[in-house]
Amino acid sequence: ANVPRTEVIQQNVARPPREISYPRHDGKPVYTSELFGENVFGLDKIAKALPKPAFAQFLKQVRGRQALDRTTADAIAHAVRIWAMDKGATHFTHWFQPQTGTTAEKHDAFLTLKTTFSPSGIETKAIDAFSGSQLLQAEPDASSFPSGGMRSTFEARGYTVWDTTSPMFLQHGPHHTCVLYIPSIFISYNGDALDEKTVLLRSSEQLSKAALGLLELLEPVPAGAPPMTAHVYTTLGTEQEYFLIDRSLYVLRPDLKITGRTLIGALPAKHQQMEDHYFGHIPSRVLATMSETELELLKLGVPVKTRHNEVAPQQFELAPIFEEASIAVDHNLLTMEVLSKVAHRNNLKVLFHEKPFKGVNGSGKHCNWSLSTDRGDNLLDPTVKPETNYRFLLVLLATMDAVLKHGALLRAGIASASNEHRLGANEAPPAIISVFLGEHLTEVLNSIEESRPIRNFSMPNIKTIKLGGTALDVMVSSLPEISRDLTDRNRTSPFAFTGNKFEFRAVGSKQSPSFPMTLLNAAVAASLQEITAALKTAAGDKPYPSDADKLKVIRHYIQTTKIVRFEGDGYSDAWKQEAARRGLPNITNCPDAFDQIVADEHSAMLIGLGIFSKSELQSRHYILMERYAKDLILEANVLRGMLVQQIMPAVFAYRATLSESAVRLAELGIAADGGGAEALPEVQLLRKLQPHLVNLQKWVDALDGALNKVHHVAGDPSKEARASAKYLLPAMEGAREVADELETMLADRFFPLPKMSELLWF
Ligand code: ADP
Ligand code: MG
């Protein structure tokens, strides 16, 4: 049999590593801070391009989210074109985020023809041009993006509009291609959001307003004076997990190529049980890919900071320094794109799927989230005495209240066919959305609730771990005291307070952080509004609430949000039962999660805040259901193809070899002295294979039956999604079990696919 995978593995070993040259200046390395933002047309460059008053006007328009005036737009367009062309750019593109989970772009050349008509004839001249209106807006034919019924075919127009809060940047490609990217939102003719970004911007705006409303009550100013805080930003830092595998093996796996995960594959003897991969030495091919990725990202202004091995073999993580949420989302999507490109160049393939391999850990995207004022104050910073930091306590409680009221909605924001393999499994946060606060904050809240002094938790003690007084004293006496995070770690919580921010851990590695962040921002904005109103009520006629008023409100919310707090093991069954007792939703499948988006208690909030219109929500619901069904149908079809076209023929071939051999041996009388043909190992193996093969055939039939049932409800995405979950998932799981059993029984050279051991230990 032709088994290319063994050849591929041999070739991999022989392949020399890729050389990349890092920028040097006069023979010395260039500091990364000098490269940072090299390919970004940032505010500094815009300031240079515009006369001072025009720049001031620009800043005002950006902050107020107003449309740019034509003269300013023309001046910026001209300046950015010259800058980009001097660096080799030939094209520009509006770069946007349709609801496909990825980004979209359509390139246009700067080249334009200028035609002059005169009595002596028509003269045509080639020029390079880029106008303010081209910068501001484009109209891609958008009829093929998912719109969930938002646009009928006769009104298929969609508009991309430059999001002035996100800077333009250049990306270089092969053969000196270079394109100017204009980060954009994507809206319909009627102004409906067709993308992920518009709603994120709306939610950040609402959250900012709501937070300002609260701060105005907490930051007294003389009558008539402006408020102390003018703007509040949502901050986001995304920890991106991913797998890197060899590309020449990857291309031999139809399941990985088409669906992003292995649909079959037996767990090898060594997987992650040795616990030797996490924070281990980074393999050199991987380190090369990481550094080249980081080099490009730094030039793009993405502040990449941390890299390390993750728990599963060939699993890694990359984390940037946090930024304003919408920029952080752009940068996370860019990170994923650049990582894919660079991995490709290094003959590797990056997998962002949440569960590419059964039996080892999957990948998530921890979204670290907080609020910051325009003066740089982190509103979730507990400071040294959180018990009297009312601003902190109120924002903390607003976030907890948001999770309490809209946890089911947050669950919807992270639901996808791929993330389902992770959630609720014993390696990732459960599907029950609760809040982890840690011992110290729990005590702070309890002491306020019970109106008693706080128990022995003064900050200086908890902030340091004393190394003195132990046998190690002599050795470590020169070490400084280690400062300890305010909270301990709890990996099992989906939504954990980690020092001065919340970490939403249930977000999937593949998905854009945009939608989950939009829903979180919205829910917190609603709770901040409610808490602000409660403070006003408590203050009565006074312009500002007193400390007693604040404590009254704080105590109330400590009590009402108590049931969403959970400090224990989120993986345990006991928690599932406890959560049910508390009335916390435990939504175990995607279609039920998607329904939350249009459920009254959540949609009223989203519509009320103007973050989604009713039809935008319905369209999202439609798109998510449709997407989920499509994902599962695709997987089922790919699996069916692999079973029928690869696995079964492989077993047939092995069987033929075995039976031919058995017949020969019997002819030679070799079996006879051992007690007949039955005693031949070949024959025994054939008998063992037989029931599995019959079983596999049954599962293929079952898959066909399941696909048929789903096909029956085609056209209604909700029904299709439910039918897919109900029929396809169990059929795929059943088929997989048998196929994996057969993999372990088949002679290696008959098995047509790279095995998990080869993919993970290439
Ligand atoms: P870990 O959670 O693994 O200990 P870190 O504490 O370094 O990692 O932080 C993880 C991420 O949280 C980083 O991307 C970091 O920039 C981000 N982060 C830190 N502070 C904030 C904040 N105030 N708002 C949003 N993200 C933050
Ligand atoms: Mg973390």
Side-chain angles (χ1 to χ4, degrees):
N2 175 28
V3 186
R5 66 184 171 91
T6 47
E7 286 160 37
V8 163
I9 293 165
Q10 290 299 324
Q11 285 161 13
N12 285 344
V13 178
R15 195 191 307 129
R18 182 184 137 82
E19 288 292 326
I20 69 156
S21 53
Y22 282 85
R24 293 181 83 83
H25 192 67
D26 289 340
K28 285 189 188 150
V30 175
Y31 289 6
T32 39
S33 59
E34 291 175 68
L35 298 168
F36 188 73
E38 191 180 283
N39 290 334
V40 180
F41 196 75
L43 277 184
D44 51 334
K45 297 190 178 86
I46 294 182
K48 265 194 208 145
L50 296 178
K52 256 207 171 119
F55 182 63
Q57 184 65 16
F58 170 77
L59 286 183
K60 233 177 90 182
Q61 288 165 342
V62 172
R63 295 214 177 107
R65 304 233 195 271
Q66 300 159 6
L68 287 195
D69 64 74
R70 196 39 62 84
T71 350
T72 310
D74 278 337
I76 296 175
H78 178 76
V80 76
R81 178 176 66 79
I82 302 293
W83 171 78
M85 291 189 74
D86 283 348
K87 283 176 164 279
T90 52
H91 290 68
F92 66 93
T93 182
H94 281 235
W95 180 69
F96 59 104
Q97 299 162 21
Q99 294 168 65
T100 53
T102 55
T103 59
E105 54 191 74
K106 171 188 157 219
H107 301 182
D108 275 303
F110 291 122
L111 180 82
T112 310
L113 291 182
K114 193 167 184 174
T115 311
T116 42
F117 299 88
S118 71
S120 53
I122 301 172
E123 202 190 335
T124 308
K125 241 174 67 185
I127 58 160
D128 300 296
F130 183 50
S131 69
S133 54
Q134 284 174 303
L135 162 64
L136 290 184
Q137 187 173 318
E139 192 194 325
D141 177 6
S143 49
S144 299
F145 290 111
S147 77
M150 292 285 293
R151 283 160 303 150
S152 40
T153 23
F154 63 85
E155 188 37 277
R157 265 185 288 181
Y159 296 90
T160 50
V161 181
W162 180 29
D163 164 21
T164 51
T165 61
S166 186
M168 293 177 265
F169 56 89
L170 284 180
Q171 283 215 86
H172 298 271
H175 303 295
H176 303 288
T177 54
C178 179
V179 177
L180 173 68
Y181 282 75
I182 307 164
S184 301
I185 58 164
F186 180 43
I187 52 175
S188 78
Y189 182 72
N190 300 319
D192 299 312
L194 297 174
D195 66 343
E196 303 275 25
K197 196 173 201 188
T198 307
V199 288
L200 176 65
L201 291 173
R202 286 180 193 156
S203 74
S204 298
E205 196 62 28
Q206 286 305 329
L207 181 56
S208 178
K209 271 195 209 150
L212 285 175
L214 174 69
L215 293 184
E216 267 175 35
L217 286 186
L218 304 179
E219 296 173 343
V221 289
M228 276 167 70
T229 309
H231 197 85
V232 172
Y233 297 94
T234 316
T235 52
L236 171 63
T238 53
E239 298 167 58
Q240 178 71 51
E241 293 180 340
Y242 58 93
F243 280 82
L244 272 177
I245 61 169
D246 192 276
R247 193 156 64 86
S248 33
L249 291 169
Y250 162 83
V251 294
L252 295 175
R253 296 274 325 203
D255 47 1
L256 274 178
K257 260 172 59 181
I258 311 291
T259 72
R261 73 173 179 114
T262 50
L263 298 170
I264 49 178
L267 191 65
K270 178 169 177 177
H271 42 96
Q272 63 185 41
Q273 77 272 46
M274 301 297 185
E275 299 175 329
D276 54 358
H277 195 256
Y278 189 61
F279 281 10
H281 177 74
I282 302 175
S284 53
R285 256 170 93 190
V286 172
L287 187 58
T289 303
M290 284 177 170
S291 346
E292 197 179 338
T293 302
E294 287 165 6
L295 181 65
E296 292 213 6
L297 287 173
L298 288 168
K299 289 184 189 168
L300 287 167
V302 182
V304 279
K305 174 96 174 158
T306 309
R307 61 189 186 204
H308 63 80
N309 286 12
E310 261 298 331
V311 170
Q314 295 310 324
Q315 192 188 27
F316 307 94
E317 178 179 309
L318 181 156
I321 299 170
F322 71 92
E323 298 177 279
E324 192 194 345
S326 68
I327 309 276
V329 170
D330 283 4
H331 283 170
N332 176 251
L333 297 173
L334 260 183
T335 299
M336 292 168 76
E337 285 181 22
V338 171
L339 194 50
S340 291
K341 271 197 298 201
V342 175
H344 190 93
R345 282 181 217 150
N346 285 280
N347 237 314
L348 295 170
K349 177 69 198 177
V350 60
L351 305 176
F352 290 120
H353 193 286
E354 282 81 0
K355 193 76 180 178
F357 304 101
K358 194 182 166 186
V360 301
N361 271 22
S363 303
K365 173 146 42 202
H366 295 179
C367 287
N368 295 270
W369 173 97
S370 188
L371 293 170
S372 169
T373 69
D374 52 359
R375 288 171 297 149
D377 277 6
N378 177 354
L379 296 180
L380 283 173
D381 183 353
T383 61
V384 268
K385 261 186 150 348
E387 53 274 31
T388 52
N389 185 343
Y390 301 131
R391 184 182 77 179
F392 164 73
L393 288 171
L394 288 162
V395 176
L396 180 82
L397 287 165
T399 312
M400 288 161 60
D401 184 62
V403 177
L404 172 70
K405 291 191 178 122
H406 300 293
L409 182 65
L410 297 179
R411 169 72 179 85
I414 51 163
S416 70
S418 49
N419 207 18
E420 284 321 274
H421 295 288
R422 219 180 124 243
L423 298 178
N426 269 3
E427 54 157 290
I432 309 160
I433 311 288
S434 63
V435 176
F436 171 84
L437 288 182
E439 204 186 354
H440 182 65
L441 278 186
T442 300
E443 168 59 13
V444 169
L445 296 193
N446 288 348
S447 70
I448 296 174
E449 183 187 2
E450 292 156 23
S451 304
R452 58 166 173 79
I454 188 160
R455 231 180 262 140
N456 236 354
F457 258 125
S458 75
M459 282 306 295
N461 286 338
I462 194 166
K463 272 204 99 161
T464 56
I465 298 168
K466 287 237 199 299
L467 287 174
T470 68
L472 287 174
D473 213 18
V474 194
M475 285 160 64
V476 299
S477 60
S478 61
L479 289 176
E481 287 181 324
I482 302 167
S483 80
R484 186 176 129 179
D485 276 357
L486 192 58
T487 50
D488 15 330
R489 301 268 150 171
N490 180 332
R491 286 178 62 91
T492 69
S493 172
F495 199 82
F497 188 78
T498 49
N500 57 4
K501 61 191 190 282
F502 274 103
E503 190 171 332
F504 193 8
R505 299 212 181 101
V507 180
S509 50
K510 194 171 87 172
Q511 75 176 123
S512 162
S514 193
F515 191 46
M517 288 302 108
T518 300
L519 300 178
L520 175 62
N521 288 347
V524 176
S527 294
L528 278 169
Q529 283 181 352
E530 196 192 290
I531 285 186
T532 305
L535 278 174
K536 281 187 180 151
T537 309
D541 296 338
K542 303 190 292 294
Y544 296 103
S546 65
D547 282 357
D549 299 333
K550 290 175 204 166
L551 269 172
K552 191 176 145 204
V553 172
I554 287 169
R555 196 166 289 129
H556 170 79
Y557 280 93
I558 289 176
Q559 279 156 359
T560 58
T561 59
K562 208 170 174 179
I563 61 164
V564 85
R565 271 154 58 185
F566 181 64
E567 303 288 307
D569 178 3
Y571 297 168
S572 67
D573 278 331
W575 169 228
K576 281 184 199 149
Q577 288 155 21
E578 167 67 17
R581 250 195 312 278
R582 293 187 191 184
L584 293 178
N586 179 10
I587 302 172
T588 54
N589 69 75
C590 283
D592 283 352
F594 298 145
D595 279 345
Q596 301 300 319
I597 293 168
V598 288
D600 288 341
E601 66 266 39
H602 307 302
S603 64
M605 178 274 288
L606 293 168
I607 296 168
L609 286 168
I611 291 165
F612 289 91
S613 67
K614 189 163 186 198
S615 55
E616 282 171 346
L617 282 181
Q618 281 163 346
S619 97
R620 250 159 231 266
H621 180 251
Y622 184 102
I623 291 170
L624 287 166
M625 289 285 191
E626 188 182 57
R627 177 67 200 262
Y628 176 76
K630 280 182 181 171
D631 278 341
L632 290 191
I633 294 168
L634 183 65
E635 284 192 347
N637 278 314
V638 170
L639 176 59
R640 189 191 184 284
M642 290 171 75
L643 296 177
V644 172
Q645 294 159 34
Q646 295 183 288
I647 303 300
M648 289 176 64
V651 186
F652 293 150
Y654 185 36
R655 202 162 62 156
T657 307
L658 289 175
S659 45
E660 270 164 37
S661 157
V663 170
R664 272 289 151 74
L665 292 168
E667 275 170 16
L668 291 172
I670 290 182
D673 33 87
E678 266 317 306
L680 284 170
E682 282 91 338
V683 173
Q684 292 191 11
L685 190 48
L686 279 167
R687 296 220 184 279
K688 267 194 200 151
L689 280 171
Q690 182 62 12
H692 291 295
L693 200 52
V694 171
N695 231 343
L696 192 59
Q697 179 61 56
K698 276 190 194 148
W699 278 112
V700 170
D701 294 342
L703 263 176
D704 283 338
L707 279 163
N708 235 329
K709 281 194 177 125
V710 174
H711 187 69
H712 265 301
V713 288
D716 181 335
S718 281
K719 283 191 183 148
E720 224 179 345
R722 288 217 146 72
S724 300
K726 188 167 170 195
Y727 302 116
L728 295 180
L729 282 176
M732 289 198 305
E733 203 39 51
R736 176 185 196 136
E737 253 174 53
V738 184
D740 290 356
E741 187 64 37
L742 280 167
E743 178 185 324
T744 63
M745 299 172 75
L746 221 58
D748 186 70
R749 72 187 171 93
F750 281 88
F751 195 70
L753 302 162
K755 295 180 176 178
M756 199 161 143
S757 57
E758 293 156 350
L759 292 165
L760 292 178
W761 307 102
F762 62 85

